[in-house]
Amino acid sequence: MRSSTLVRYLVISAFTFGLDLALLTVVHGGLGWPLPIAITVGYAAALTTNYLLNRVLNFRSRAPLGPESVRYAAAVAVNFGVVLLGATIGLAAAGVPYQVARVAAGGAEGVFMYAAMRWFVFPLSPAR
């Protein structure tokens, strides 16, 4: 593992996680939308931004978008269903404030998504 890809991944992920959390707070806390929908809105905006920034700035991929996007969508689907929704909603149901629950789920999400991007989504990128 090259430390430069990890550092760039962490910077990009911190930015997009902030975007995710801000949208979650506005959509759920401000607009009063149900938590699962608010999580989905924030996550959709953040994951799209994260993919594009990592593709261009971090992994410097020149691979065709089609197959790469399908691999990314598969990684996101597993992450979304298991880590993001499962952990966030489970912790919130246990009485943890939803923002804190989302931050806690974010740690596990970060580890899973870095591994998925590094070895599954962008396996042949020049950054390796």
Side-chain angles (χ1 to χ4, degrees):
M1 165 175 34
R2 287 184 43 178
S3 61
S4 59
T5 58
L6 179 59
V7 170
R8 287 190 301 262
Y9 172 81
L10 291 172
V11 170
I12 290 167
S13 293
F15 169 74
T16 57
F17 184 72
L19 173 65
D20 185 347
L21 193 55
L23 288 171
L24 169 65
T25 301
V26 168
V27 173
H28 181 66
L31 299 176
W33 290 16
L35 187 57
I37 294 172
I39 291 169
T40 304
V41 168
Y43 190 63
L47 77 91
T48 302
T49 304
N50 188 287
Y51 170 74
L52 294 172
L53 291 175
N54 269 295
R55 176 181 165 81
V56 173
L57 300 176
N58 193 15
F59 295 102
R60 299 181 178 110
S61 176
R62 302 230 189 289
L65 276 173
E68 193 177 83
S69 297
V70 169
R71 289 191 305 270
Y72 185 69
V76 165
V78 170
N79 181 62
F80 184 76
V82 175
V83 179
L84 183 66
L85 281 179
T88 305
I89 292 171
L91 289 169
V96 176
Y98 68 90
Q99 294 100 333
V100 175
R102 180 61 186 93
V103 170
E109 176 185 10
V111 172
F112 174 81
M113 285 305 295
Y114 178 75
M117 292 174 107
R118 183 79 171 104
W119 292 288
F120 180 64
V121 177
F122 305 110
L124 303 174
S125 69
R128 286 185 74 161

